[in-house]
Amino acid sequence: MARRRHVCYLAAMPDDLPPATPLAPADPAVLGLDAAALAEAVRFAQAHETPWPRDLRAHLEGGHFEPPPDNAILGPVAPRGGPAGMILRRGRVAASWGDVRRTDMTFSVAKSYLSLLAGLALGDGLIADLDEPVAARVRSPQFEGARNGAVTWRQLLTLTSEWEGTLWGKSDVIDRNRDLNREGKARKGEARPLRAPGTFWEYNDVRVNALSLALLHLFRRPLAEVFRDRIMDPIGASRDWAWHAYDTARVTIDGVEMPSVPGGGHWGGGVFIGAEDQARIGLLVARRGRWEGRQIVPESWIDAIADPCPLKPDYGLLWWLNTDGARAPAASRRSLFASGAGGHVTWIDPERDLVSVTRWLDPAAFAGYAERVVAAMRD
């Protein structure tokens, strides 16, 4: 079957941008880390590569998430690289491994990036209150009617919206009853009876994509451009990353056709980025939204994303939490995680002034990796 040619809809980078600012390395001992124990954590990460094959297109088309026809790819997909990662302590690089500048798919890590964009929208006054219905600010068919018209920003950000519909050719039914513990065992979505918005938690990519569309209506320019101008450029990121839309995801705003980016790579597309740029984003969050004296993301938003959802205490505003220690027993209970299928985790541990990025690490091995990182700390 002929494959469609996908296009990257991130606007071209300006020619006058400065090169990426290097993240400064430091001797582990200066950062309060035992070098030998830290090296063991790195070896562990390198030795526990994700079981996913390098050919990601074949993996997704083979039904990793769901069987045909719901598994149809709508956006770009690229072969993956090998394990890579970085460990930062006190804002300095203590260790790195693999190709940390290679741009790879990140899957649901993009959800946490959408959360940062929502924080910008709230800070700009484009969102007045997270508990306000999206329909109060966004005039779009996707947020009309008794159900969808009542959905709030907070419900979209906590995955409790129960939004119903088809967006960009994908129905929310595909991800109904999705069990994250059974990823890799393709199943058909079941049209279970919907609950009232705000009363049921469910990991549903179509509903996250509805949030992305709503944010696009607020900013009235492609979210990849907003993310570049408001976050990535100010923190000295590279020019290599991109946020790809589906071929079907187009909307006209103010007479201009724009892409609406997804919050994952479930059906292709999403954020393609290197571990070093991800470490910058993690450090921005660890520094409570500040970078070199400038407040990039409202500080209040950093608190908001870590507020547990009452229906899912280990989930905040599109960020995973460690409130019960289940994700990583060795990590502090205040830890935040931007996590994506296939083994992508940005781990922020504010109690230890730690930022870790792991790429293509077997998810089953993450807790063991975190235990070894913590064991390397001497103060």
Side-chain angles (χ1 to χ4, degrees):
M1 181 177 66
R3 290 175 177 167
R4 303 171 68 180
R5 179 177 179 271
H6 300 289
V7 180
C8 170
Y9 295 114
L10 175 61
M13 294 291 187
D15 294 332
D16 58 351
L17 278 180
T21 307
L23 290 174
D27 187 297
V30 174
L31 302 177
L33 296 164
D34 179 270
L38 187 66
E40 170 56 27
V42 171
R43 282 194 295 270
F44 184 87
Q46 291 174 312
H48 290 81
E49 184 173 353
T50 179
W52 282 27
R54 297 296 175 106
D55 187 345
L56 293 184
R57 176 174 289 277
H59 188 55
L60 297 179
E61 290 181 337
H64 174 80
F65 290 107
E66 57 272 319
D70 293 335
N71 65 331
I73 301 298
L74 302 180
V77 176
R80 73 170 179 86
M86 300 187 80
I87 298 171
L88 279 63
R89 184 112 197 269
R90 300 171 185 164
R92 306 286 292 276
V93 180
S96 67
W97 62 96
D99 186 351
V100 296
R101 295 186 177 178
R102 176 190 168 95
T103 57
D104 263 331
M105 298 180 73
T106 57
F107 295 86
S108 287
V109 169
K111 291 176 173 61
S112 297
Y113 298 168
L114 281 176
S115 175
L116 295 180
L117 287 169
L120 295 181
L122 186 67
D124 291 351
L126 299 176
I127 298 174
D129 186 325
L130 290 185
D131 295 310
E132 177 183 69
V134 174
R137 302 267 172 163
V138 174
R139 298 290 180 263
S140 173
Q142 287 79 16
F143 295 98
E144 295 177 349
R147 171 175 295 279
N148 292 350
V151 167
T152 68
W153 296 101
R154 188 182 305 278
Q155 290 163 1
L156 287 172
L157 286 159
T158 56
L159 306 184
T160 62
S161 72
E162 289 287 82
W163 182 94
E164 180 180 27
T166 296
L167 186 61
W168 318 133
K170 299 292 185 179
S171 168
D172 77 282
V173 174
I174 297 173
D175 272 349
R176 289 195 202 173
N177 293 313
R178 182 173 172 183
D179 184 348
L180 296 179
N181 294 320
R182 289 176 53 83
E183 295 284 53
K185 300 177 181 178
R187 85 292 175 260
K188 186 72 174 176
E190 299 175 10
R192 61 168 176 79
L194 291 172
R195 313 281 186 86
T199 65
F200 188 78
W201 188 92
E202 182 172 76
Y203 205 78
N204 191 300
D205 275 36
V206 176
R207 292 172 185 155
V208 172
N209 292 346
L211 167 66
S212 179
L213 174 63
L215 290 171
L216 176 62
H217 276 280
L218 292 186
F219 285 109
R220 312 195 77 75
R221 59 188 294 236
L223 295 187
E225 294 182 6
V226 179
F227 197 66
R228 179 194 69 199
D229 294 347
R230 300 283 299 275
I231 293 179
M232 297 302 275
D233 287 356
I235 65 175
S238 76
R239 306 183 190 186
D240 302 330
W241 68 277
W243 201 333
H244 296 275
Y246 304 149
D247 290 347
T248 52
R250 303 291 191 83
V251 61
T252 299
I253 298 176
D254 300 331
V256 179
E257 186 179 77
M258 301 180 189
S260 184
V261 293
H266 197 165
W267 299 293
V271 175
F272 287 49
I273 193 172
E276 185 171 320
D277 282 341
Q278 288 193 290
R280 295 174 190 277
I281 298 169
L283 188 57
L284 174 68
V285 174
R287 293 291 181 261
R288 299 188 59 77
R290 293 182 66 81
W291 193 273
E292 296 182 347
R294 178 183 173 189
Q295 195 72 44
I296 305 298
V297 177
E299 186 173 9
S300 59
W301 190 251
I302 306 304
D303 291 326
I305 63 178
D307 188 21
C309 171
L311 297 177
K312 182 71 172 172
D314 62 342
Y315 204 76
L317 301 182
L318 296 182
W319 286 78
W320 288 94
L321 312 178
N322 201 42
T323 47
D324 58 0
R327 176 168 289 263
S332 79
R333 298 301 184 265
R334 293 178 56 209
S335 291
L336 294 167
F337 306 92
S339 183
H344 307 280
V345 179
T346 299
W347 164 30
I348 302 162
D349 193 327
E351 292 185 5
R352 297 185 171 98
D353 201 354
L354 170 76
V355 174
S356 161
V357 174
T358 45
R359 306 297 304 271
W360 307 116
L361 171 66
D362 186 343
F366 181 79
Y369 161 79
E371 181 180 5
R372 286 162 175 78
V373 172
V374 171
M377 296 185 177
R378 295 296 175 259
D379 61 36

